[in-house]
Amino acid sequence: MPNSLQDIISPLHNYLMALYQKYQSLKEGKVADYIPELGRADTDWFGISIVNTDGQIYQVGDYQQSFTIQSISKPFVYGLALENYGRETVLNRVGLEPTGEAFNSIVLDAKNNRPCNPMVNAGAIATTDLLTGEDSGARLQQILKMFHLYTGRRLDVDIPVFLSEKATGSRNRAIAYLMHNSGMISDRVEETLNIYFQQCSISVTCNDLAMMGATLANKGKNPITGEQAIKSHYVQDVLSLMHTCGMYDFAGEWAYRVGLPAKSGVSGGIVAVVPGKCGIGIFSPLLDAKGNSIRAVKVCEELAKDFGLHLYGAVEPTYDLAFSMQQPYPFLTATSSG
Ligand code: GLU
């Protein structure tokens, strides 16, 4: 059932609806089940949202369904660390190289003793350690405030997911203590781990992800509220790392096939950014063996192909995304003129 006039008349909405229907029947993959809360996800959940840099929103399916942000928090907290400390200090603690290893591997860059990049758990924990604030409450509030700027609404931590992440987080604890041992993170190891588990457990919708993506696409300024969520100076740092390391050890193939900076998380979300144009947020919890949402990857591949979104693409697209977005009512125009 359409929700508004725009739902009826926007050609982009109709396109997204067709894409949603095409992939809803795809039942491959499995939900993450390392904690019971994620294992209970409904395999039918599937939402797609696009927010463009003019602030127009297009959404279909379960775009209001909440899920935990998980690893999608990593690039945004990295941006916050850059704002707190600047490039040089952050670079001393977290590198810039893809690993080709699993996101939770216990590997540090042998030469510098630092995590390889901020998108693997080691790098994300080191990034979280860099957040300023006198106690864990103040540090968490800093993260929540940042997400408020990106999404335009207050987000909260899903407490049962946080407690489960904490109870089962031995591997992350091992990574953190290894980094502490080599002087890469401060003494407040347990506090930093608690904040990391909470940042992964923040509840979002795919519409929030699209807003976050649109804000990065719009030089760090939320296109609806007009608030600056991250200094424009650091947007390229965040997007570059998303481009090279954002999709687990599928990052290379993703860059080849889709060609957009993106980040995925184990609960089934993906945020992708089309610089200057829009943010795309997709949620569907069925994952492939590398931990990426199967439906979300397919949708992004198709969007990139049909609208010519690949950053290095040189082929005429099937549709013109700019046209669909800047004139959201061409169906009405066509009707009234003909
Ligand atoms: N909470 C998860 C962990 O740190 C994040 C997993 C993910 O989304 O990649 O293991």
Side-chain angles (χ1 to χ4, degrees):
M1 243 338 236
N3 292 325
S4 68
L5 188 61
Q6 181 168 313
D7 285 359
I8 304 169
I9 56 188
S10 158
L12 181 58
H13 180 272
N14 291 342
Y15 168 92
L16 291 179
M17 202 60 212
L19 208 52
Y20 168 83
Q21 281 158 353
K22 176 172 174 185
Y23 288 114
Q24 211 200 7
S25 55
L26 184 64
K27 307 281 185 194
E28 287 164 27
K30 63 193 259 312
V31 302
D33 57 3
Y34 68 93
I35 54 173
E37 287 74 12
L38 294 185
R40 282 196 285 274
D42 184 336
T43 56
D44 282 337
W45 282 337
F46 184 22
I48 308 172
S49 181
I50 295 185
V51 176
N52 74 7
T53 49
D54 291 336
Q56 289 160 349
I57 303 175
Y58 301 84
Q59 45 203 10
V60 297
D62 300 308
Y63 57 84
Q64 286 169 317
Q65 176 61 49
S66 297
F67 55 96
T68 50
I69 190 167
Q70 296 293 348
S71 275
I72 300 173
S73 61
K74 292 171 179 172
F76 298 93
V77 175
Y78 179 61
L80 195 51
L82 285 165
E83 292 205 308
N84 278 339
Y85 283 101
R87 282 184 180 136
E88 210 178 316
T89 304
V90 175
L91 196 55
N92 283 334
R93 299 293 183 87
V94 192
L96 304 170
E97 296 304 332
T99 62
E101 304 270 346
F103 67 98
N104 57 1
S105 57
I106 308 187
V107 178
L108 298 180
D109 149 8
K111 182 161 169 263
N112 302 294
N113 236 345
R114 64 183 178 191
C116 299
N117 69 66
M119 305 297 158
V120 291
N121 287 6
I125 294 167
T127 307
T128 301
D129 182 58
L130 283 172
L131 297 184
T132 51
E134 66 212 29
D135 56 27
S136 59
R139 292 165 75 204
L140 179 65
Q141 282 312 317
Q142 206 190 131
I143 295 176
L144 291 172
K145 194 168 153 224
M146 168 197 68
F147 279 123
H148 192 158
L149 293 173
Y150 274 104
T151 61
R153 74 181 188 103
R154 197 194 121 96
L155 303 182
D156 290 308
V157 173
D158 180 323
I159 301 292
V161 172
F162 159 55
L163 293 175
S164 268
E165 292 281 351
K166 182 174 163 150
T168 59
S170 300
R171 198 175 171 93
N172 285 323
R173 206 160 268 116
I175 292 171
Y177 278 100
L178 179 69
M179 291 193 292
H180 179 249
N181 181 57
S182 57
M184 274 296 133
I185 64 172
S186 69
D187 287 340
R188 36 182 197 179
V189 185
E190 288 298 328
E191 183 183 305
T192 292
L193 280 163
N194 269 339
I195 298 167
Y196 172 73
F197 293 136
Q198 288 176 88
Q199 89 181 41
C200 289
S201 307
I202 292 171
S203 268
V204 290
T205 63
C206 70
N207 193 51
D208 293 323
L209 298 185
M211 287 290 301
M212 289 152 61
T215 299
L216 289 175
N218 196 37
K219 301 183 177 159
K221 188 178 193 174
N222 180 311
I224 293 181
T225 65
E227 300 252 38
Q228 195 72 34
I230 174 172
K231 287 194 184 89
S232 53
H233 182 66
Y234 293 121
V235 169
Q236 71 179 54
D237 303 47
V238 173
L239 292 181
S240 305
L241 269 297
M242 287 168 73
H243 192 85
T244 51
C245 312
M247 298 295 290
Y248 301 120
D249 41 341
F250 182 67
E253 189 165 338
W254 170 274
Y256 176 86
R257 288 187 190 283
V258 180
L260 293 174
K263 184 74 195 85
S264 72
V266 281
S267 50
I270 291 185
V271 59
V273 180
V274 189
K277 287 192 175 159
C278 66
I280 302 167
I282 308 176
F283 168 57
S284 164
L286 285 170
L287 307 180
D288 63 21
K290 296 192 168 168
N292 294 309
S293 165
I294 293 184
R295 291 188 187 115
V297 169
K298 294 263 184 223
V299 167
C300 287
E301 282 180 0
E302 203 144 329
L303 281 169
K305 179 161 90 31
D306 285 348
F307 292 100
L309 303 180
H310 195 298
L311 291 179
Y312 312 119
V315 178
E316 273 305 302
T318 314
Y319 305 107
D320 183 350
L321 189 61
F323 176 80
S324 312
M325 288 182 162
Q326 277 157 25
Q327 298 188 36
Y329 308 116
F331 178 80
L332 267 191
T333 312
T335 309
S336 55
S337 66

